[in-house]
């Protein structure tokens, strides 16, 4: 069984920074894309940032220039450095691991349990 464990959320003032981490564990042969999504109250879950195995990244327009995603393939871990946070960034942030190879011909998608990020004005 594969698990994604997130950490690093919390309460921060506007203009502050936070760093989220997400470690995947279990019987993993490889992981393709890893990413972060967020869901604010009353809104749909949305993509924040995604990174491929090779390091290519994609960001939501709302976070470009403020957030940076990175990963350590050897540790099956993805990070999200968030800077210049504003109250609109308040949400539950979810880690995602896509196309995780868990068998010779088996790939699955996994989600973390979510971590709350609250930005006060």
């Amino acid at each position: 069984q594969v698990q994604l464990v997130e950490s690093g959320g919390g309460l921060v003032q506007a203009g502050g920074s936070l760093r989220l981490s997400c470690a995947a564990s279990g019987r993993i042969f490889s992981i393709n894309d890893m990413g972060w999504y967020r869901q604010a109250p009353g809104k749909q879950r949305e993509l924040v940032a995604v990174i491929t195995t090779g390091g290519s990244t994609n960001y939501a327009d709302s976070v470009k220039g403020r957030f940076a995603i990175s990963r350590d393939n050897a540790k099956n871990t993805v990070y999200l450095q968030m800077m210049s946070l504003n109250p609109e960034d308040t949400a539950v942030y979810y880690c995602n691991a896509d196309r995780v190879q868990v068998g010779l011909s088996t790939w699955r998608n996994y989600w973390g349990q979510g971590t709350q990020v609250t930005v006060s004005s």
Side-chain angles (χ1 to χ4, degrees), residues 41-116:
K43 295 187 177 181
Q44 290 188 334
R45 189 173 298 188
E46 62 176 2
L47 172 70
V48 176
V50 64
I51 184 168
T52 68
T53 305
S56 297
T57 59
N58 189 36
Y59 295 92
D61 288 343
S62 60
V63 306
K64 283 181 181 177
R66 300 188 299 121
F67 291 12
I69 189 171
S70 60
R71 66 188 283 176
D72 184 332
N73 292 328
K75 296 181 179 180
N76 288 331
T77 299
V78 63
Y79 307 95
L80 186 68
Q81 179 67 49
M82 304 185 292
M83 298 171 288
S84 301
L85 286 160
N86 58 63
E88 289 69 39
D89 295 315
T90 295
V92 177
Y93 284 70
Y94 296 92
C95 173
N96 177 262
D98 192 27
R99 292 178 290 156
V100 180
Q101 187 178 7
V102 296
L104 290 179
S105 59
T106 304
W107 286 264
R108 292 178 179 158
N109 182 284
Y110 293 94
W111 290 91
Q113 80 284 356
T115 185
Q116 177 70 46

